[in-house]
Amino acid sequence: MMKKNFILDYAHLLLKEYITSNDIVVDATMGNGYDTIFLAGISRKVYAFDIQEKAIEETAKKLNEQNISNVELILDTHERINNYLNLYKAVVFNLGYLPNGDKTITTHSESTILAITSILPKLPIGGFIQLVIYTGHEEGKKESKSIDQYFNHLDSDTYKVMKIELPFQDNNPPYILMIHKVKDES
Ligand SMILES: C[S@@+](CC[C@H](N)C(=O)[O-])C[C@H]1O[C@@H](n2cnc3c(N)ncnc32)[C@H](O)[C@@H]1O
């Protein structure tokens, strides 16, 4: 069902395809909890991270209202995911800042790359990272460039990186990167 934002709906479509009701998954950028709630509906358990109290409060409220109990909310940076859990099938990032929140609290290329670096070796074969990337703001442009450089050096036999974008749309629309681990790191 297509609703609010074409790329975000498409990102959810991909998650539905790859995540099963047995999987443990991570929402690395909880925000207002829309992705967290979506993930809760298709997986066994969701661990959701954000550095803002406001995100935890907003998401906890929604979880409560909807009686959702398979989610753990964690007030910490996604660079420390491995401090909280050992095993996960997928990690989802929706980069940037909260649309209706403090625009100075955005994800940053350095911490995003550090998080990705810590996650990749932990992924099982068949596991993946999904990133929704926004280039309509300055930090987002930087982030997009650093991410491109980083994945350009990744072993392409081990990791299959897929980009889903809207090449003919104006105004820097967001795009999706899917990084699938298809074999063990050698
Ligand atoms: C675009 S919003 C996420 C929207 C969210 N997925 C939703 O469904 O509402 C990005 C979020 O990432 C959070 N964030 C920024 N840096 C972070 C970090 N290092 N670790 C975890 N969260 C971070 C921000 O506080 C913000 O809430």
PDB file of all heavy atoms in Angstrom, residues 32-33 36-37 40 55-71 73:
ATOM      1  N   ASN A  32      10.520   9.221  15.221  1.00  0.00           N
ATOM      2  CA  ASN A  32       9.137   9.161  15.696  1.00  0.00           C
ATOM      3  C   ASN A  32       8.565   7.752  15.700  1.00  0.00           C
ATOM      4  O   ASN A  32       7.371   7.563  15.953  1.00  0.00           O
ATOM      5  CB  ASN A  32       8.250  10.080  14.857  1.00  0.00           C
ATOM      6  CG  ASN A  32       8.536  11.536  15.157  1.00  0.00           C
ATOM      7  OD1 ASN A  32       8.832  11.899  16.295  1.00  0.00           O
ATOM      8  ND2 ASN A  32       8.479  12.375  14.133  1.00  0.00           N
ATOM      9  N   GLY A  33       9.392   6.781  15.372  1.00  0.00           N
ATOM     10  CA  GLY A  33       8.995   5.388  15.557  1.00  0.00           C
ATOM     11  C   GLY A  33       8.229   4.734  14.419  1.00  0.00           C
ATOM     12  O   GLY A  33       7.788   3.593  14.556  1.00  0.00           O
ATOM     13  N   THR A  36      10.212   1.759  13.349  1.00  0.00           N
ATOM     14  CA  THR A  36      10.245   0.804  14.469  1.00  0.00           C
ATOM     15  C   THR A  36       8.943  -0.007  14.492  1.00  0.00           C
ATOM     16  O   THR A  36       8.965  -1.237  14.607  1.00  0.00           O
ATOM     17  CB  THR A  36      10.396   1.556  15.818  1.00  0.00           C
ATOM     18  OG1 THR A  36      11.576   2.352  15.770  1.00  0.00           O
ATOM     19  CG2 THR A  36      10.479   0.587  16.977  1.00  0.00           C
ATOM     20  N   ILE A  37       7.824   0.686  14.366  1.00  0.00           N
ATOM     21  CA  ILE A  37       6.521   0.017  14.433  1.00  0.00           C
ATOM     22  C   ILE A  37       6.318  -0.896  13.225  1.00  0.00           C
ATOM     23  O   ILE A  37       5.834  -2.018  13.354  1.00  0.00           O
ATOM     24  CB  ILE A  37       5.389   1.062  14.582  1.00  0.00           C
ATOM     25  CG1 ILE A  37       5.430   1.586  16.014  1.00  0.00           C
ATOM     26  CG2 ILE A  37       4.021   0.474  14.244  1.00  0.00           C
ATOM     27  CD1 ILE A  37       4.600   2.795  16.269  1.00  0.00           C
ATOM     28  N   ALA A  40       8.357  -3.942  13.883  1.00  0.00           N
ATOM     29  CA  ALA A  40       7.758  -4.783  14.943  1.00  0.00           C
ATOM     30  C   ALA A  40       6.694  -5.707  14.360  1.00  0.00           C
ATOM     31  O   ALA A  40       6.538  -6.847  14.813  1.00  0.00           O
ATOM     32  CB  ALA A  40       7.158  -3.897  16.031  1.00  0.00           C
ATOM     33  N   ALA A  55      12.676  11.109  20.998  1.00  0.00           N
ATOM     34  CA  ALA A  55      12.382   9.972  20.121  1.00  0.00           C
ATOM     35  C   ALA A  55      11.873   8.794  20.952  1.00  0.00           C
ATOM     36  O   ALA A  55      10.884   8.145  20.594  1.00  0.00           O
ATOM     37  CB  ALA A  55      13.635   9.574  19.345  1.00  0.00           C
ATOM     38  N   ILE A  56      12.533   8.548  22.071  1.00  0.00           N
ATOM     39  CA  ILE A  56      12.137   7.437  22.937  1.00  0.00           C
ATOM     40  C   ILE A  56      10.710   7.671  23.445  1.00  0.00           C
ATOM     41  O   ILE A  56       9.864   6.775  23.405  1.00  0.00           O
ATOM     42  CB  ILE A  56      13.101   7.312  24.155  1.00  0.00           C
ATOM     43  CG1 ILE A  56      14.551   7.256  23.703  1.00  0.00           C
ATOM     44  CG2 ILE A  56      12.698   6.142  25.054  1.00  0.00           C
ATOM     45  CD1 ILE A  56      15.108   5.922  23.371  1.00  0.00           C
ATOM     46  N   GLU A  57      10.458   8.902  23.907  1.00  0.00           N
ATOM     47  CA  GLU A  57       9.130   9.219  24.460  1.00  0.00           C
ATOM     48  C   GLU A  57       8.044   9.046  23.404  1.00  0.00           C
ATOM     49  O   GLU A  57       7.016   8.409  23.643  1.00  0.00           O
ATOM     50  CB  GLU A  57       9.097  10.673  24.952  1.00  0.00           C
ATOM     51  CG  GLU A  57       9.731  10.844  26.308  1.00  0.00           C
ATOM     52  CD  GLU A  57      10.065  12.308  26.592  1.00  0.00           C
ATOM     53  OE1 GLU A  57       9.465  13.203  25.944  1.00  0.00           O
ATOM     54  OE2 GLU A  57      10.954  12.535  27.439  1.00  0.00           O
ATOM     55  N   GLU A  58       8.300   9.610  22.236  1.00  0.00           N
ATOM     56  CA  GLU A  58       7.313   9.563  21.148  1.00  0.00           C
ATOM     57  C   GLU A  58       7.036   8.114  20.724  1.00  0.00           C
ATOM     58  O   GLU A  58       5.885   7.707  20.547  1.00  0.00           O
ATOM     59  CB  GLU A  58       7.871  10.379  19.966  1.00  0.00           C
ATOM     60  CG  GLU A  58       6.920  10.597  18.825  1.00  0.00           C
ATOM     61  CD  GLU A  58       5.629  11.263  19.258  1.00  0.00           C
ATOM     62  OE1 GLU A  58       5.654  12.171  20.106  1.00  0.00           O
ATOM     63  OE2 GLU A  58       4.588  10.828  18.733  1.00  0.00           O
ATOM     64  N   THR A  59       8.104   7.339  20.591  1.00  0.00           N
ATOM     65  CA  THR A  59       7.947   5.954  20.136  1.00  0.00           C
ATOM     66  C   THR A  59       7.290   5.103  21.221  1.00  0.00           C
ATOM     67  O   THR A  59       6.395   4.296  20.922  1.00  0.00           O
ATOM     68  CB  THR A  59       9.316   5.374  19.711  1.00  0.00           C
ATOM     69  OG1 THR A  59       9.891   6.244  18.744  1.00  0.00           O
ATOM     70  CG2 THR A  59       9.178   3.991  19.105  1.00  0.00           C
ATOM     71  N   ALA A  60       7.700   5.316  22.478  1.00  0.00           N
ATOM     72  CA  ALA A  60       7.111   4.542  23.594  1.00  0.00           C
ATOM     73  C   ALA A  60       5.602   4.778  23.645  1.00  0.00           C
ATOM     74  O   ALA A  60       4.816   3.838  23.844  1.00  0.00           O
ATOM     75  CB  ALA A  60       7.768   4.950  24.910  1.00  0.00           C
ATOM     76  N   LYS A  61       5.206   6.016  23.426  1.00  0.00           N
ATOM     77  CA  LYS A  61       3.784   6.361  23.453  1.00  0.00           C
ATOM     78  C   LYS A  61       3.029   5.583  22.364  1.00  0.00           C
ATOM     79  O   LYS A  61       1.986   4.968  22.621  1.00  0.00           O
ATOM     80  CB  LYS A  61       3.652   7.879  23.233  1.00  0.00           C
ATOM     81  CG  LYS A  61       2.297   8.434  23.574  1.00  0.00           C
ATOM     82  CD  LYS A  61       2.301   9.955  23.517  1.00  0.00           C
ATOM     83  CE  LYS A  61       1.283  10.415  22.510  1.00  0.00           C
ATOM     84  NZ  LYS A  61       1.655  11.561  21.713  1.00  0.00           N
ATOM     85  N   LYS A  62       3.597   5.574  21.160  1.00  0.00           N
ATOM     86  CA  LYS A  62       2.937   4.870  20.050  1.00  0.00           C
ATOM     87  C   LYS A  62       2.864   3.369  20.324  1.00  0.00           C
ATOM     88  O   LYS A  62       1.857   2.726  20.045  1.00  0.00           O
ATOM     89  CB  LYS A  62       3.693   5.103  18.738  1.00  0.00           C
ATOM     90  CG  LYS A  62       3.564   6.519  18.201  1.00  0.00           C
ATOM     91  CD  LYS A  62       4.008   6.571  16.736  1.00  0.00           C
ATOM     92  CE  LYS A  62       3.852   7.941  16.137  1.00  0.00           C
ATOM     93  NZ  LYS A  62       5.031   8.796  16.257  1.00  0.00           N
ATOM     94  N   LEU A  63       3.945   2.814  20.863  1.00  0.00           N
ATOM     95  CA  LEU A  63       3.972   1.368  21.129  1.00  0.00           C
ATOM     96  C   LEU A  63       2.895   1.009  22.142  1.00  0.00           C
ATOM     97  O   LEU A  63       2.195  -0.010  22.009  1.00  0.00           O
ATOM     98  CB  LEU A  63       5.347   0.946  21.658  1.00  0.00           C
ATOM     99  CG  LEU A  63       6.515   1.059  20.675  1.00  0.00           C
ATOM    100  CD1 LEU A  63       7.832   0.753  21.383  1.00  0.00           C
ATOM    101  CD2 LEU A  63       6.342   0.120  19.485  1.00  0.00           C
ATOM    102  N   ASN A  64       2.775   1.857  23.145  1.00  0.00           N
ATOM    103  CA  ASN A  64       1.782   1.662  24.191  1.00  0.00           C
ATOM    104  C   ASN A  64       0.363   1.685  23.639  1.00  0.00           C
ATOM    105  O   ASN A  64      -0.438   0.781  23.886  1.00  0.00           O
ATOM    106  CB  ASN A  64       1.930   2.804  25.198  1.00  0.00           C
ATOM    107  CG  ASN A  64       1.911   2.260  26.594  1.00  0.00           C
ATOM    108  OD1 ASN A  64       1.529   1.098  26.801  1.00  0.00           O
ATOM    109  ND2 ASN A  64       2.329   3.064  27.547  1.00  0.00           N
ATOM    110  N   GLU A  65       0.099   2.729  22.847  1.00  0.00           N
ATOM    111  CA  GLU A  65      -1.239   2.902  22.268  1.00  0.00           C
ATOM    112  C   GLU A  65      -1.614   1.713  21.393  1.00  0.00           C
ATOM    113  O   GLU A  65      -2.769   1.329  21.301  1.00  0.00           O
ATOM    114  CB  GLU A  65      -1.277   4.171  21.408  1.00  0.00           C
ATOM    115  CG  GLU A  65      -1.388   5.448  22.214  1.00  0.00           C
ATOM    116  CD  GLU A  65      -1.042   6.689  21.376  1.00  0.00           C
ATOM    117  OE1 GLU A  65      -0.791   6.554  20.140  1.00  0.00           O
ATOM    118  OE2 GLU A  65      -1.006   7.772  21.969  1.00  0.00           O
ATOM    119  N   GLN A  66      -0.601   1.152  20.723  1.00  0.00           N
ATOM    120  CA  GLN A  66      -0.893   0.066  19.778  1.00  0.00           C
ATOM    121  C   GLN A  66      -0.623  -1.310  20.371  1.00  0.00           C
ATOM    122  O   GLN A  66      -0.639  -2.306  19.650  1.00  0.00           O
ATOM    123  CB  GLN A  66      -0.079   0.277  18.494  1.00  0.00           C
ATOM    124  CG  GLN A  66      -0.432   1.577  17.797  1.00  0.00           C
ATOM    125  CD  GLN A  66       0.349   1.778  16.501  1.00  0.00           C
ATOM    126  OE1 GLN A  66       0.538   0.854  15.713  1.00  0.00           O
ATOM    127  NE2 GLN A  66       0.799   2.993  16.271  1.00  0.00           N
ATOM    128  N   ASN A  67      -0.339  -1.327  21.677  1.00  0.00           N
ATOM    129  CA  ASN A  67      -0.119  -2.611  22.357  1.00  0.00           C
ATOM    130  C   ASN A  67       0.985  -3.456  21.731  1.00  0.00           C
ATOM    131  O   ASN A  67       0.820  -4.671  21.592  1.00  0.00           O
ATOM    132  CB  ASN A  67      -1.408  -3.421  22.322  1.00  0.00           C
ATOM    133  CG  ASN A  67      -2.119  -3.315  23.643  1.00  0.00           C
ATOM    134  OD1 ASN A  67      -1.453  -3.326  24.698  1.00  0.00           O
ATOM    135  ND2 ASN A  67      -3.431  -3.198  23.594  1.00  0.00           N
ATOM    136  N   ILE A  68       2.062  -2.822  21.356  1.00  0.00           N
ATOM    137  CA  ILE A  68       3.173  -3.549  20.729  1.00  0.00           C
ATOM    138  C   ILE A  68       4.225  -3.823  21.804  1.00  0.00           C
ATOM    139  O   ILE A  68       4.645  -2.908  22.521  1.00  0.00           O
ATOM    140  CB  ILE A  68       3.779  -2.727  19.575  1.00  0.00           C
ATOM    141  CG1 ILE A  68       2.727  -2.494  18.497  1.00  0.00           C
ATOM    142  CG2 ILE A  68       5.019  -3.408  19.001  1.00  0.00           C
ATOM    143  CD1 ILE A  68       3.138  -1.519  17.414  1.00  0.00           C
ATOM    144  N   SER A  69       4.639  -5.084  21.934  1.00  0.00           N
ATOM    145  CA  SER A  69       5.525  -5.414  23.062  1.00  0.00           C
ATOM    146  C   SER A  69       6.860  -6.038  22.639  1.00  0.00           C
ATOM    147  O   SER A  69       7.697  -6.335  23.484  1.00  0.00           O
ATOM    148  CB  SER A  69       4.796  -6.354  24.015  1.00  0.00           C
ATOM    149  OG  SER A  69       4.402  -7.500  23.302  1.00  0.00           O
ATOM    150  N   ASN A  70       7.079  -6.234  21.329  1.00  0.00           N
ATOM    151  CA  ASN A  70       8.327  -6.884  20.902  1.00  0.00           C
ATOM    152  C   ASN A  70       9.403  -5.881  20.493  1.00  0.00           C
ATOM    153  O   ASN A  70      10.142  -6.089  19.532  1.00  0.00           O
ATOM    154  CB  ASN A  70       8.053  -7.879  19.761  1.00  0.00           C
ATOM    155  CG  ASN A  70       7.436  -7.229  18.543  1.00  0.00           C
ATOM    156  OD1 ASN A  70       6.799  -6.181  18.644  1.00  0.00           O
ATOM    157  ND2 ASN A  70       7.629  -7.831  17.375  1.00  0.00           N
ATOM    158  N   VAL A  71       9.468  -4.764  21.239  1.00  0.00           N
ATOM    159  CA  VAL A  71      10.422  -3.707  20.903  1.00  0.00           C
ATOM    160  C   VAL A  71      11.173  -3.259  22.150  1.00  0.00           C
ATOM    161  O   VAL A  71      10.566  -3.083  23.204  1.00  0.00           O
ATOM    162  CB  VAL A  71       9.691  -2.468  20.312  1.00  0.00           C
ATOM    163  CG1 VAL A  71      10.678  -1.359  20.010  1.00  0.00           C
ATOM    164  CG2 VAL A  71       8.925  -2.844  19.048  1.00  0.00           C
ATOM    165  N   LEU A  73      13.555  -0.088  23.376  1.00  0.00           N
ATOM    166  CA  LEU A  73      14.003   1.254  22.982  1.00  0.00           C
ATOM    167  C   LEU A  73      15.282   1.603  23.736  1.00  0.00           C
ATOM    168  O   LEU A  73      15.332   1.482  24.963  1.00  0.00           O
ATOM    169  CB  LEU A  73      12.909   2.286  23.299  1.00  0.00           C
ATOM    170  CG  LEU A  73      11.536   2.012  22.687  1.00  0.00           C
ATOM    171  CD1 LEU A  73      10.548   3.107  23.075  1.00  0.00           C
ATOM    172  CD2 LEU A  73      11.636   1.895  21.164  1.00  0.00           C
TER     173      LEU A  73
END
